[in-house]
Each structure stands twice: as C-alpha cells, then as structure tokens.
Amino acid sequence: SAVISQKPSRDICQRGTSLTIQCQVDSQVTMMFWYRQQPGQSLTLIATANQGSEATYESGFVIDKFPISRPNLTFSTLTVSNMSPEDSSIYLCSVALGQNYGYTFGSGTRLTVV
Amino acid sequence: DAKTTQPPSMDCAEGRAANLPCNHSTISGNEYVYWYRQIHSQGPQYIIHGLKNNETNEMASLIITEDRKSSTLILPHATLRDTAVYYCIVQGRDFNKFYFGSGTKLNVKP
C-alpha cells in the first residue's frame, strides 16, 4: 500500500482567508481524491484529481472554492478559498492503487475557521 | 452507483465476535464490497473487500450472501481498540471513486 503525508495536520484560520493543503504520496498514482468530513459526519468526496488534467468536482463543490493542483504523479494540493466557519472540517486525500488493492487515506487536515 | 445501508450503532463485548451487517441491494455484478474503519477522526483504514466469495484476512472475515444484496463483516475477537466507525462501500461504476455512507459506530465494551 502507499504511504500518504498530508500537511498541515491542523490549522486555525481567519474567515475570508485561504488555506492550501498538501498531499504527498510515496509512489506514483494516477488518481488522487479529496474528501471533506464535517464534524460528526461521514466523508464526502470533493473531487478527483488526475495528473495532467483538470480536477473533476462532485455536485455541490466548485473549482473557485476548492481549487486543486496535480503537478505530478505523487503530489496534489487542495485550497480552501475565502473560508467561513462552515468550512471547518477534516480534509483528507486518498489514492487508489487498483481495484484489488483498496484505497489509502492520509491522516487528514483538521481545519477550524474562526 | 449502489448505495449501502448500515445500522447507525452496535455494541459488542470485548473478546466476543462483532458482526456488522450491510445491505447493498442495488449492487451490480461487477461491483466490489469494501469495508473500512475510522478510529477517532483518523484517516479511514482498509479492512477487507470481496466480490462474490467469502474472504478472510488477519483483521476480519467478510461474508457476502449468494445474491450479493448484503454482507457481514466479522471481527472474530473484538478488542477495545476496535471501537470505531465501520463503513461498507460499494465501488462506483467507474471503479475509481468511493462514496461513503453513514457507517456503523461499533462500541466495544469491557
């Protein structure tokens, strides 16, 4: 399985600012995924990030709010823009290693917006 | 994409088997059933997956009914460290997305 390093692990941010979350994988992967987990809730898929193409966003998520970069096969960033308290969540990245190998998740970024 | 239904919570005595059910009545023939767990807001951890046959690994066993409309995750000897939210997921049509349901909160008690 892959090892994912996610930074920062937590942050407290002022409303109206932006935060960029980094996801580094120890092996090359085609697809990376970003999830949001609001307090007490399950995980919600934000978008899928493929290297060399635009990210694909799920319903309810837009690029202006959650721009994603995928410059190579081992790295991706998610930016939470113009934050409000409603953006306070855990944000997780994930990679898929193939149907028979499951998915690996990072440890998450706990974001608090004040 | 097939949806899953799980009980919101279950209790289990330490040392006993924990049997977590999942309904996925709309599953397609080429979709897998995956189980993950999340301990105290850490990243979800892969447990096991299967297509048709029952599967077993060092963590758990997965029993899939013959019609594939439901499955059961079995933790043979639950410990306090198994207290977590357990998610049953059916792999999406494009085989590259995971959609999480609400999961089952398993409480293992001494």
Side-chain angles (χ1 to χ4, degrees):
Chain A
S1 64
V3 176
I4 298 176
S5 174
Q6 202 173 322
K7 295 179 180 179
S9 59
R10 60 178 63 230
D11 207 342
I12 301 174
C13 300
Q14 297 291 323
R15 68 176 66 201
T17 63
S18 298
L19 176 71
T20 295
I21 302 168
Q22 299 179 1
C23 181
Q24 179 75 51
V25 189
D26 69 346
S27 58
Q28 294 184 340
V29 293
T30 302
M31 306 187 78
M32 297 179 73
F33 309 91
W34 287 97
Y35 287 84
R36 179 178 73 181
Q37 187 170 30
Q38 296 175 300
Q41 303 296 313
S42 181
L43 285 76
T44 301
L45 181 63
I46 298 172
T48 302
N50 292 337
Q51 194 269 334
S53 63
E54 294 287 330
T56 303
Y57 289 84
E58 297 294 308
S59 176
F61 297 95
V62 295
I63 188 172
D64 289 346
K65 177 67 176 177
F66 298 102
I68 289 172
S69 76
R70 183 78 201 276
N72 57 52
L73 291 174
T74 64
F75 187 78
S76 178
T77 67
L78 169 76
T79 299
V80 186
S81 303
N82 189 25
M83 289 183 285
S84 67
E86 292 71 34
D87 294 319
S88 297
S89 297
I90 298 173
Y91 292 86
L92 301 106
C93 68
S94 173
V95 300
L97 300 179
Q99 187 165 300
N100 294 324
Y101 301 98
Y103 291 65
T104 300
F105 288 81
S107 55
T109 296
R110 185 181 294 273
L111 171 63
T112 302
V113 183
V114 297
Chain B
D1 299 325
K3 303 299 182 185
T4 61
T5 303
Q6 299 176 254
S9 66
M10 294 182 63
D11 291 336
C12 178
E14 188 178 20
R16 304 296 295 269
N19 297 280
L20 292 90
C22 179
N23 287 322
H24 31 79
S25 58
T26 60
I27 192 170
S28 300
N30 56 3
E31 289 181 319
Y32 283 73
V33 179
Y34 283 81
W35 282 83
Y36 280 74
R37 72 180 182 184
Q38 187 175 29
I39 299 174
H40 193 46
S41 296
Q42 298 176 15
Q45 175 190 23
Y46 167 82
I47 300 173
I48 198 168
H49 76 283
L51 181 63
K52 296 181 182 179
N53 301 320
N54 298 337
E55 302 288 345
T56 296
N57 63 21
E58 64 278 4
M59 289 183 66
S61 295
L62 174 60
I63 308 298
I64 302 175
T65 58
E66 189 170 347
D67 63 8
R68 304 207 326 120
K69 293 184 177 182
S70 65
S71 61
T72 300
L73 178 74
I74 301 173
L75 307 179
H77 306 287
T79 71
L80 298 178
R81 290 176 295 178
D82 292 322
T83 293
V85 178
Y86 287 77
Y87 294 100
C88 166
I89 301 165
V90 174
Q91 194 173 32
R93 268 197 304 271
D94 61 5
F95 298 103
N96 284 307
K97 293 183 182 182
F98 258 8
Y99 296 100
F100 283 78
S102 53
T104 296
K105 177 67 176 12
L106 176 67
N107 298 301
V108 181
K109 300 185 175 181

